[in-house]
Amino acid sequence: MNTSPVTKVLVIGYVWPEPRSSAASGHVMQILETFLEQGWNITVSSPAGPGEHKADLSALGIREVPIELNNSSFDAFISELAPGIVLFDQFMMEEQFGWRVEKHCPQALRVLETSDLQSLRFARQQRLKERLKDDPDNQDFTALFAPALREEFELMADSDLAKREIAALYRCDLNLMISQVEIQLLVEEFGLPGALLHWCPLMIDLPTAEPRTFAERAHFLSIGNFRHAPNWDAVLWMKTTIWPLIRAQLPQAQLHIYGAYTPPKATALHNPAQGFHVMNWAEDALQVMSAARVCLAPLRFGAGIKGKIVDAMLCATPSVTTPIGAEAMHGGLPWPGAISCSAEDFANNAVQLYRDEQRWEEARQAGQSLLSERYRKSVHGPALIDKLRDCLENLAQSRKSNFTGSMLRHHHHKSTQYMAQWIEAKNRNTLDKD
């Protein structure tokens, strides 16, 4: 039994966790569960309204406290709570609340949960747009998927988003990184100290149930939150190019597409005659994934690692994806399916996996090995706790060693504080006039 003193943790989320809607929220929930296993006292706050699929945190013993942007009520709240750890979910929350945390709880360990590098994802999206504009008919994206880290840096370095995001990483005491590729990019190209970064991928318990066999499965499946731009682009690429190539070889094939927050533009793509089914949100993503024979994830841009592919491995479902989809996910281990750079190669690999039971079985087994090697909660959970405790014990020295972060906090927090106070005063005057 853990006999360490209870630690108070405050999580400030950009949104309330929705683990059945996005991998990012799923990762947050895995972190919260790891904290609960330590007996820690957890409060989750967000300035956002509750989403359709919000997790019931109170049922887990987690306190839920809504907060407001640019409102000094947060100051009294955090002063009374006095957390030992404050975890910002997405860098924008550090931008908004970091100065208040430092002012009222200066000894709290400030941790940023990144999910992915948003500036990297945005830069890759811009690169795809330019590529499609210059050569719209070419469906081979090999060159797009093969930039060196230095090229990624040069693509990102001039953007305001990268400057904001990486400044937030410096200002925090520790940053949880889901992708080892992003760690390498930050250390080698942006010059961040490695001590500020901790690899914390998706953390799962290995499945124990016997999966469905090849013969017991049918159809292709794609899944992902429609609010996430890479997922919407993947759906469009499937609709216009990849799926017609698959149907040419498998005329009776069906593709089932699931995703939270399905917009009308996605529903409009639903076409049963073409075997293209837009199914909206899945109540149980693992259930529908377990029934599918092959998972399709044709991601042409993105960052982090892909929850849908981890779910596929959990369900013993082989996947076909791109180098973007596979990035940082398998180390040197075989991919549980196929990685393709062109629409034609993607479709051919999907058809072969769907038809060839032996190849399908080899891919399924590769997925089980990959889960065991890289994603076990029993490995990453204790590693995270050990890292947090080490940071707490050495907080004063690590902050002295991170002078750049201290300098950025000094300048950013002062300007943000004055702006927030001005906005609050302006809002107050508006209410008084009303």
Side-chain angles (χ1 to χ4, degrees):
M1 179 180 293
N2 180 15
T3 58
S4 63
V6 172
T7 296
K8 286 185 180 180
V9 181
L10 172 62
V11 178
I12 304 176
Y14 182 70
V15 296
W16 296 95
E18 294 190 14
R20 293 187 295 171
S21 297
S22 74
S25 282
H27 193 232
V28 170
M29 291 300 298
Q30 291 163 2
I31 293 170
L32 293 179
E33 290 164 4
T34 300
F35 292 169
L36 287 172
E37 290 167 2
Q38 301 301 309
W40 291 358
N41 185 312
I42 305 171
T43 300
V44 173
S45 294
S46 177
E52 290 179 25
H53 313 300
K54 174 183 168 296
D56 185 0
L57 300 177
S58 60
L60 300 174
I62 297 173
R63 183 185 177 200
E64 301 179 15
V65 180
I67 52 177
E68 294 183 38
L69 297 172
N70 305 309
N71 194 310
S72 56
S73 60
F74 180 86
D75 304 344
F77 160 63
I78 195 170
S79 296
E80 180 181 354
L81 184 64
I85 299 173
V86 176
L87 187 147
F88 303 102
D89 175 26
Q90 299 196 29
F91 80 90
M92 296 85 79
M93 294 297 95
E94 189 280 334
E95 286 185 325
Q96 289 287 338
F97 294 97
W99 71 270
R100 295 185 187 273
V101 172
E102 182 165 25
K103 182 177 181 179
H104 298 284
C105 288
Q107 295 308 308
L109 182 71
R110 296 184 289 269
V111 182
L112 175 58
E113 205 288 298
T114 62
S115 292
D116 67 1
L117 273 182
Q118 295 186 34
S119 51
L120 175 61
R121 170 162 37 94
F122 178 78
R124 287 173 169 174
Q125 183 177 13
Q126 298 309 113
R127 185 170 60 201
L128 173 64
K129 288 180 178 178
E130 292 173 5
R131 159 65 172 76
L132 293 174
K133 181 179 179 181
D134 293 340
D135 195 1
D137 297 326
N138 185 354
Q139 295 299 313
D140 187 336
F141 295 93
T142 302
L144 186 79
F145 295 144
L149 288 180
R150 187 65 190 178
E151 292 179 63
E152 300 279 29
F153 167 77
E154 291 176 354
L155 195 65
M156 299 166 63
D158 290 335
S159 74
D160 290 345
L161 184 60
K163 292 169 185 174
R164 288 173 53 200
E165 185 170 28
I166 290 168
L169 298 178
Y170 266 112
R171 289 193 297 265
C172 287
D173 301 308
L174 184 67
N175 300 279
L176 306 185
M177 305 299 302
I178 205 167
S179 163
Q180 289 172 312
V181 169
E182 291 173 8
I183 292 176
Q184 185 181 1
L185 174 66
L186 290 170
V187 171
E188 294 183 5
E189 301 300 334
F190 286 94
L192 263 79
L196 292 179
L197 309 172
H198 176 72
W199 181 45
C200 182
L202 295 173
M203 301 182 287
I204 55 93
D205 295 315
L206 297 179
T208 56
E210 192 67 25
R212 294 189 186 187
T213 66
F214 177 88
E216 292 172 326
R217 297 167 179 254
H219 311 315
F220 295 92
L221 178 137
S222 184
I223 194 166
N225 191 320
F226 280 103
R227 288 180 174 174
H228 193 52
N231 294 335
W232 173 238
D233 177 75
V235 170
L236 289 178
W237 194 28
M238 282 190 291
K239 176 68 173 181
T240 59
T241 308
I242 293 173
W243 186 243
L245 293 173
I246 292 175
R247 283 276 286 193
Q249 298 183 62
L250 297 172
Q252 302 306 314
Q254 293 186 36
L255 170 61
H256 295 172
I257 299 174
Y258 291 89
Y261 301 105
T262 309
K265 64 182 180 180
T267 305
L269 301 179
H270 180 71
N271 191 324
Q274 297 174 352
F276 198 91
H277 300 265
V278 178
M279 310 292 287
N280 298 317
W281 182 65
E283 182 72 27
D284 187 336
L286 295 182
Q287 182 181 43
V288 296
M289 183 71 79
S290 296
R293 187 174 290 179
V294 177
C295 171
L296 303 182
L299 297 160
R300 293 191 288 188
F301 69 95
I305 62 175
K306 311 306 177 289
K308 61 177 69 64
I309 294 177
V310 171
D311 284 350
M313 289 188 282
L314 277 169
C315 298
T317 306
S319 60
V320 185
T321 190
T322 64
I324 291 291
E327 182 178 82
M329 292 205 63
H330 62 122
L333 295 174
W335 185 254
I339 301 171
S340 303
C341 293
S342 69
E344 184 178 6
D345 189 52
F346 195 103
N348 288 339
N349 277 315
V351 170
Q352 288 174 24
L353 270 173
Y354 197 87
R355 285 174 167 169
D356 188 335
E357 184 172 358
Q358 181 177 346
R359 184 178 175 186
W360 185 93
E361 183 62 29
E362 290 171 355
R364 182 194 70 79
Q365 292 177 7
Q368 305 309 289
S369 299
L370 187 50
L371 281 180
S372 179
E373 183 71 21
R374 291 179 66 86
Y375 298 102
R376 280 186 294 166
K377 185 180 178 184
S378 60
V379 172
H380 295 291
L384 172 60
I385 298 301
D386 289 345
K387 183 66 175 181
L388 292 172
R389 286 180 172 149
D390 180 69
C391 288
L392 285 166
E393 291 173 4
N394 300 285
L395 187 56
Q397 184 57 48
S398 65
R399 285 181 175 173
K400 286 181 181 178
S401 300
N402 181 20
F403 179 78
T404 300
S406 176
M407 178 176 61
L408 289 169
R409 286 200 308 275
H410 172 78
H411 290 286
H412 175 269
H413 288 355
K414 288 296 183 183
S415 60
T416 306
Q417 175 181 347
Y418 297 144
M419 178 59 73
Q421 291 172 338
W422 179 83
I423 292 173
E424 183 174 13
K426 182 173 180 290
N427 291 341
R428 192 184 306 118
N429 289 336
T430 301
L431 289 173
D432 290 344
K433 290 178 181 179
D434 292 343

